[in-house]
Amino acid sequence: MQDAFSSPEYQRRHQPPYDPLYPPPPPSPHPFPHHTSPSHLTYPWQPQPQPPESERRRQPRHHALGRHSDIRVLRGAYRRQRRVATLTALGYFTLFLILSAFAPGLMASEVSGGLPTGLLLGLLQVPVTCLAIGLYEYTARRRVDPIADRIRRQTQLDAKREAAR
C-alpha cells in the first residue's frame, strides 16, 4: 500500500531545488527500501541477491599497502629512528638543565684554565646535536631506506601488473 507522500508525483512536486553546496544524499545501498521488505530473508532457500557483473572484481593478490607487513616494519623503523635521534639531543639538553638547576656547585666548578663545567657542558650541546643528526642519517641509510626502496619497487611492479590487465 502506498501513501500519498511516497507517490512519485508528490516527490517530483515537492523536491527541493538543487544546491551545489548541499548535494542530495546518495541512494541507499540496500536493495529494498525500509518500508517494503524486512532486512532478513523470509525463506532461507531464497537465493542471495548477487551484485551486477560490473561490481564484481577480481581481488588483488597482495593486501592493500596500509595493511602490508613491510609498511608496518617501515613505520616501526622510522619511529625508532626518530626516537633515538630526538632522545639523544633532548636527553643531553635535559641533563644539562637538571644539572644547572640542582647542581649549581658542579656547574660553577672550573675544569681547567678558568673554564666552568657549565659552560663546557653547554658548548658540548652543539657536538651532541650533530651526533644526533649523524645517528638519524646512519639509521636512515642502514635500516629505513632499504625497506622504503623495497616497498617502492613492489608498488611499481604492482602498478605495472595492474596496467597490463
Side-chain angles (χ1 to χ4, degrees), residues 2-15:
Q2 193 174 30
D3 61 350
F5 298 113
S6 63
S7 70
E9 185 178 325
Y10 179 85
Q11 296 290 329
R12 188 175 56 250
R13 277 190 280 137
H14 293 89
Q15 185 176 11

Side-chain angles (χ1 to χ4, degrees), residues 56-155:
R56 286 189 219 157
R57 291 182 37 187
R58 200 167 122 193
Q59 295 296 322
R61 285 178 40 190
H62 301 287
H63 294 294
L65 271 180
R67 297 180 58 203
H68 201 274
S69 64
D70 283 344
I71 294 289
R72 285 194 306 259
V73 170
L74 179 64
R75 281 191 207 124
Y78 185 57
R79 190 177 310 119
R80 281 188 299 277
Q81 176 192 22
R82 287 189 321 245
R83 285 180 184 163
V84 166
T86 303
L87 291 177
T88 301
L90 287 180
Y92 183 81
F93 185 69
T94 303
L95 175 70
F96 176 75
L97 290 178
I98 290 172
L99 288 175
S100 296
F102 296 108
L106 173 71
M107 298 298 270
S109 66
E110 293 184 8
V111 177
S112 66
L115 182 66
T117 307
L119 181 59
L120 179 65
L121 291 176
L123 291 174
L124 281 176
Q125 182 66 41
V126 173
V128 168
T129 304
C130 291
L131 174 71
I133 293 169
L135 274 171
Y136 189 86
E137 290 178 358
Y138 175 78
T139 56
R141 271 186 259 116
R142 293 278 302 208
R143 297 201 176 116
V144 178
D145 289 347
I147 300 169
D149 290 338
R150 185 172 64 231
I151 292 171
R152 188 175 300 115
R153 283 192 304 270
Q154 182 65 41
T155 305

